Amino acid sequence: MKDQRVSEAVIRRLPRYYRQLELLIKNGVERISSSELAEQMGLNPSQVRQDLNCFGGFGQQGYGYATKKLYQEISDILGLKREYSMVIAGAGNIGSALCNYEGFTQRGFVVKALFDNDQAKIGSEVNGIAIRDVSEMKQFVKDNNIDIGVICTRRSSAQQLADDMVEAGIGAIWNFVPIDINVCVPLENAQLIDSAFVLSFKLDRQD
Amino acid sequence: MKDQRVSEAVIRRLPRYYRQLELLIKNGVERISSSELAEQMGLNPSQVRQDLNCFGGFGQQGYGYATKKLYQEISDILGLKREYSMVIAGAGNIGSALCNYEGFTQRGFVVKALFDNDQAKIGSEVNGIAIRDVSEMKQFVKDNNIDIGVICTRRSSAQQLADDMVEAGIGAIWNFVPIDINVCVPLENAQLIDSAFVLSFKLDRQD
């Protein structure tokens, strides 16, 4: 399983399967066919079968997928058996909102600290999480074996802070700053303005 | 130009070109070769040439790209000649952070109103923007010819609010709620938890 190559497109659909199955279970649905699941998710049935086959094919001919079993399997594939620790660099607007976002803790993504260089912020708390001096960040990441480093700073310091996190042994970087950063660990980009630009592109061409 | 089909992958790289060129201009760089630009962005040179060719090929053999000209062209392609109006449904944590995000206004994405159903919030302001009763949303979208509707509500009301916006004539939907919504206008998904899941997937497989 760990050796298998999975395409980026499939990886990006997995969270959607996970969320959809969660919803089905919540609504008391015990099994579902690939075509029903596909329709609900706006995918085509053969794609759903192909995607889930990548991970061993849990469906049964004529029965479909047992929702709870498939949910559990996808949860395992997504690595959700354990908690992931996060630190957030930048206790501004977006960093604070992420720290307040209940969805993370509920899913096992636990923010351990916020870091900032603003003396007025250092020492205060967001959602019960201390804001620490950014100069302590590397040591904190090292000491606490942090999994995910979230970058929500100004553009000018984003790359340096990502480098510091990687040097301290962070597992992955999640970048909210509208600048391309280069790191040798898994990187997830969440540049808000890029999504806005994609929308303006599409809106402009519709006119 | 308007008739030309552009792949989703190219569209998603355009904001990155735009940001990179902006940075180059800020740093006084007047021209750049496709290979330099590619290296800075972690792409390959033939991909850069191909991407930019999609839009008419602005480079000159032996000279490269004039940064300001290319920046202006991409800005036009992205539809950034005009402003886009936005409303945000859900004045919670994420909705408020988006309303506070300076990057939007700077780029011409202007939040016109926030909507919520919490009587305690209605009437107050975030970043100078009034929080209004969600029951007024449809009329507001209609009257103000709003371009982009941002969904930051609970999961249970996300689809209904998106439907209301579309009925009121909204141009596009930007969804931050971790649920798949179906609309007949351009949709941009920004489900934070999905990015977290992609990271946990990658971290788990590295172990």
Side-chain angles (χ1 to χ4, degrees):
Chain A
M1 183 69 173
K2 297 259 175 188
D3 310 313
Q4 211 180 320
R5 287 256 174 183
V6 184
S7 83
E8 191 72 17
V10 177
I11 296 170
R12 301 216 162 259
R13 280 195 291 274
L14 279 175
R16 294 181 56 202
Y17 288 117
Y18 181 79
R19 286 193 279 102
Q20 188 62 28
L21 287 161
E22 190 176 58
L23 203 66
L24 288 167
I25 292 164
K26 199 181 153 199
N27 294 336
V29 178
E30 287 181 12
R31 61 178 184 161
I32 190 161
S33 68
S34 48
S35 39
E36 284 172 290
L37 188 57
E39 203 197 320
Q40 291 173 7
M41 295 177 61
L43 300 170
N44 73 59
S46 71
Q47 186 169 51
V48 169
R49 281 190 292 270
Q50 214 172 18
D51 283 353
L52 300 177
N53 278 347
C54 278
F55 301 101
F58 316 108
Q60 278 170 48
Q61 190 70 34
Y63 178 85
Y65 298 91
T67 51
K68 276 189 189 159
K69 185 156 177 285
L70 184 55
Y71 176 75
Q72 196 50 58
E73 302 269 14
I74 294 181
S75 167
D76 291 352
I77 291 164
L78 287 173
L80 302 180
K81 271 176 293 193
R82 69 170 184 94
E83 272 194 5
Y84 293 86
S85 56
M86 308 204 290
V87 295
I88 299 174
N93 186 30
I94 301 287
S96 302
L98 294 174
C99 193
N100 275 312
Y101 187 58
E102 286 166 26
F104 290 145
T105 320
Q106 284 166 10
R107 309 305 190 136
F109 296 85
V110 183
V111 178
K112 298 291 185 184
L114 274 155
F115 294 93
D116 210 288
N117 64 358
D118 180 350
Q119 294 301 321
K121 288 181 183 169
I122 294 164
S124 64
E125 288 189 353
V126 178
N127 198 18
I129 315 290
I131 302 178
R132 296 161 192 262
D133 193 317
V134 72
S135 67
E136 299 166 18
M137 190 186 72
K138 268 177 90 166
Q139 197 59 47
F140 186 94
V141 169
K142 224 177 269 182
D143 293 346
N144 294 278
N145 210 3
I146 299 295
D147 295 305
I148 300 170
V150 186
I151 314 276
C152 303
T153 59
R154 286 179 193 282
R155 285 194 281 181
S156 52
S157 46
Q159 179 67 55
Q160 183 59 56
L161 287 168
D163 290 344
D164 288 348
M165 287 177 175
V166 172
E167 257 189 66
I170 207 119
I173 297 285
W174 195 359
N175 177 34
F176 284 79
V177 183
I179 193 170
D180 287 345
I181 61 174
N182 300 306
V183 284
C184 57
V185 298
L187 169 70
E188 190 68 11
N189 281 308
Q191 285 115 336
L192 294 173
I193 198 68
D194 286 16
S195 290
F197 288 158
V198 170
L199 286 175
S200 63
F201 174 88
K202 291 180 178 174
L203 284 166
D204 190 52
R205 289 167 88 86
Q206 274 187 328
D207 291 346
Chain B
M1 183 71 176
K2 296 262 174 184
D3 310 313
Q4 208 180 322
R5 286 258 173 182
V6 185
S7 83
E8 190 71 18
V10 176
I11 296 170
R12 299 213 162 264
R13 280 194 292 274
L14 278 175
R16 293 181 55 203
Y17 289 116
Y18 181 79
R19 287 194 277 101
Q20 188 63 27
L21 286 162
E22 191 176 56
L23 204 65
L24 288 167
I25 292 165
K26 199 181 152 199
N27 294 336
V29 178
E30 286 181 13
R31 61 179 185 162
I32 190 161
S33 68
S34 48
S35 40
E36 284 170 290
L37 188 57
E39 203 196 320
Q40 290 172 7
M41 295 178 61
L43 299 170
N44 72 60
S46 71
Q47 188 168 51
V48 169
R49 281 190 292 270
Q50 215 171 19
D51 283 353
L52 301 177
N53 278 346
C54 279
F55 301 102
F58 316 110
Q60 279 170 48
Q61 191 70 35
Y63 178 85
Y65 298 92
T67 51
K68 276 190 188 157
K69 185 157 179 282
L70 184 55
Y71 177 75
Q72 196 50 56
E73 302 268 15
I74 294 181
S75 166
D76 291 351
I77 291 163
L78 286 173
L80 302 181
K81 271 176 292 191
R82 68 170 185 94
E83 271 195 6
Y84 293 87
S85 55
M86 309 204 291
V87 295
I88 300 175
N93 186 30
I94 301 288
S96 301
L98 293 175
C99 193
N100 276 311
Y101 187 57
E102 286 166 28
F104 290 145
T105 320
Q106 283 166 10
R107 308 306 192 139
F109 295 86
V110 183
V111 179
K112 297 290 186 183
L114 274 154
F115 294 94
D116 209 289
N117 62 1
D118 181 349
Q119 294 300 322
K121 287 181 183 169
I122 295 165
S124 64
E125 288 188 353
V126 177
N127 198 17
I129 315 289
I131 303 180
R132 295 162 192 261
D133 192 317
V134 73
S135 67
E136 299 166 19
M137 190 185 72
K138 268 177 89 166
Q139 198 59 47
F140 186 94
V141 168
K142 224 176 271 182
D143 293 346
N144 294 279
N145 210 2
I146 299 295
D147 295 305
I148 300 171
V150 186
I151 314 275
C152 301
T153 59
R154 287 179 192 282
R155 284 195 281 182
S156 52
S157 45
Q159 179 67 56
Q160 183 60 55
L161 288 168
D163 290 343
D164 289 348
M165 287 176 175
V166 171
E167 258 189 66
I170 207 121
I173 297 285
W174 195 359
N175 177 35
F176 284 80
V177 183
I179 193 168
D180 287 344
I181 61 174
N182 299 307
V183 283
C184 58
V185 297
L187 170 70
E188 190 67 13
N189 281 308
Q191 285 114 337
L192 294 172
I193 197 68
D194 286 16
S195 290
F197 287 158
V198 169
L199 286 175
S200 64
F201 173 88
K202 291 180 178 174
L203 283 166
D204 190 52
R205 289 167 88 88
Q206 273 186 327
D207 289 346

